[in-house]
Amino acid sequence: MIGFDFSPLLQMLAMAVLLGGLPLAWAWRRGRGAPHRERLRLLTVLAMTLTFELILFGAFTRLTDSGLGCPDWPGCYGHASPLGAHGDIQQAQTAMPTGPVTHGKAWVEMLHRYFASAVGFLILTTAVLHTRWRRETGMPSPAWSWLSLAWVLVQGLFGALTVTMKLFPAIVTLHLLLALGLLMLLGWQAQRLGNRVLLLGPGLRRGIVLVLLVVLLQVALGGWVSTNYAVLACDEFPTCQGGWWPAMDFARGFTLWRELGLHHDGSVLPFEALVAIHWTHRLFALAATAAVLLLAWRLHGVGQGLWARRLVLILLWQLLSGLSNVVLDWPLLAALAHTGGAAALLLCLTLLRARTQPLTPHA
């Protein structure tokens, strides 16, 4: 059974309420007696934290080749869990013991879906409560909360397309970028619901946005490397394939709308295309590194050494994890660390920008 099968949808929704209700109950108890704005901030921070963890688990799903562990959506062979699909999974695993469908991969894929649905339920609850409390003094508009919910729904759609379109690289990359976008959106809201501000000049505030865009582009290039399995196209450092400018096919490497491992005409993607994908990500890392270091230097110069150190430490984490992916033959732990570092860097920049306020009312 391949494609969409909505027969287990009600059971999946019940699972979302059950799993999402657990962290919600914890946050509700922890925030008891606090002002509604503070309780809303706590729920948003919780959703942001779980989204970060979901990004890591999504990377684990992709890196363990578990993305097609259940080849239909939203359930698994028409069931809400791999337990009900045991016979179908066993048949597929017997036919292809090392294929995309195994019992282990099915559980990893379904746990990823359960986790995502729980995050969606938590964001829905936050939006409803935000709307209910919107008339209180100082409460920001609930529009951002509802935007987060709409974002989650779009993210879910791309998650479904990831499965039904057989790991189409463009879809998988967009799925990752949307997840990172949700993390940044929740981070922005959480920071805005707080009461701490950071006064910076207009040039530095614009600089944060510019660096954020540069890093986002670099993360997109990294996602394209990962979803095309081009990490080991250059298995040495700092050169690639024995030189500084190896043979590369940029046209085929950056043809966006094509199947995994194939050109749009159905021909096999040449190795030179994978080299072009990898080398572009590595070269642009130089620009991204320079941008982050320059921003950190500027922040340190205006007395914001803590934020500067945060950026430098995360950047160092990214450089070391990225390098270890190449020289250690793409170990799972290093790959997960690199994804987590990318998410942390984007989140740090987002929190920094959300906290800043102009030095003067007209800045």
Side-chain angles (χ1 to χ4, degrees), residues 187-227:
W188 180 274
Q189 293 173 71
Q191 196 65 64
R192 286 295 187 175
L193 285 166
N195 54 15
R196 289 182 291 180
V197 298
L198 184 63
L199 299 179
L200 293 177
L204 193 50
R205 296 173 74 227
R206 286 193 294 267
I208 295 171
V209 175
L210 179 60
V211 173
L212 181 59
L213 292 175
V214 170
V215 171
L216 189 58
L217 177 56
Q218 172 64 0
V219 171
L221 289 171
W224 192 241
V225 171
S226 180
T227 56

Side-chain angles (χ1 to χ4, degrees), residues 74-328:
C76 190
Y77 287 97
H79 298 274
S81 83
L83 291 177
H86 183 274
D88 295 291
I89 297 172
Q90 185 63 43
Q91 183 178 357
Q93 184 171 322
T94 301
M96 297 181 63
T98 59
V101 179
T102 66
H103 289 287
K105 292 178 180 179
W107 274 110
V108 170
E109 171 62 14
M110 288 308 297
L111 286 173
H112 177 58
R113 297 183 197 180
Y114 297 153
F115 198 175
S117 64
V119 171
F121 173 74
L122 186 59
I123 291 176
L124 170 62
T125 304
T126 303
V128 171
L129 291 173
H130 198 163
T131 303
R132 181 180 176 182
W133 298 333
R134 70 186 184 278
R135 298 186 183 280
E136 295 191 9
T137 303
M139 187 69 74
S141 168
W144 286 100
S145 294
W146 289 105
L147 175 61
S148 298
L149 180 62
W151 198 293
V152 165
L153 295 176
V154 173
Q155 170 71 347
L157 173 62
F158 273 86
L161 293 175
T162 295
V163 175
T164 58
M165 295 184 69
K166 307 300 181 189
L167 305 182
F168 209 82
I171 298 297
V172 178
T173 302
L174 284 173
H175 187 51
L176 171 62
L177 292 177
L178 284 170
L180 293 167
L182 177 63
L183 178 69
M184 295 162 63
L185 182 58
L186 292 170
W188 180 274
Q189 293 173 71
Q191 196 65 64
R192 286 295 187 175
L193 285 166
N195 54 15
R196 289 182 291 180
V197 298
L198 184 63
L199 299 179
L200 293 177
L204 193 50
R205 296 173 74 227
R206 286 193 294 267
I208 295 171
V209 175
L210 179 60
V211 173
L212 181 59
L213 292 175
V214 170
V215 171
L216 189 58
L217 177 56
Q218 172 64 0
V219 171
L221 289 171
W224 192 241
V225 171
S226 180
T227 56
N228 282 279
Y229 296 89
V231 175
L232 297 180
C234 297
D235 59 357
E236 57 190 74
F237 184 86
T239 58
C240 176
Q241 298 298 317
W244 293 103
W245 195 257
M248 291 179 280
D249 187 340
F250 288 96
R252 296 194 180 190
F254 289 92
T255 297
L256 300 183
W257 201 252
R258 55 174 174 75
E259 295 183 48
L260 178 62
L262 301 176
H263 193 43
H264 63 75
D265 60 4
S267 60
V268 176
L269 200 66
F271 182 73
E272 289 77 11
L274 300 180
V275 174
I277 293 171
H278 182 115
W279 197 239
T280 300
H281 177 58
R282 194 185 289 190
L283 288 178
F284 198 77
L286 298 175
T289 298
V292 173
L293 289 177
L294 178 59
L295 176 60
W297 176 70
R298 289 288 310 279
L299 287 170
H300 188 272
V302 296
Q304 298 302 325
L306 178 60
W307 283 100
R309 288 191 294 274
R310 287 170 178 168
L311 289 174
V312 171
L313 287 175
I314 298 173
L315 177 64
L316 182 61
W317 176 277
Q318 271 304 84
L319 293 175
L320 291 177
S321 60
L323 177 61
S324 62
N325 276 321
V326 174
V327 299
L328 298 179

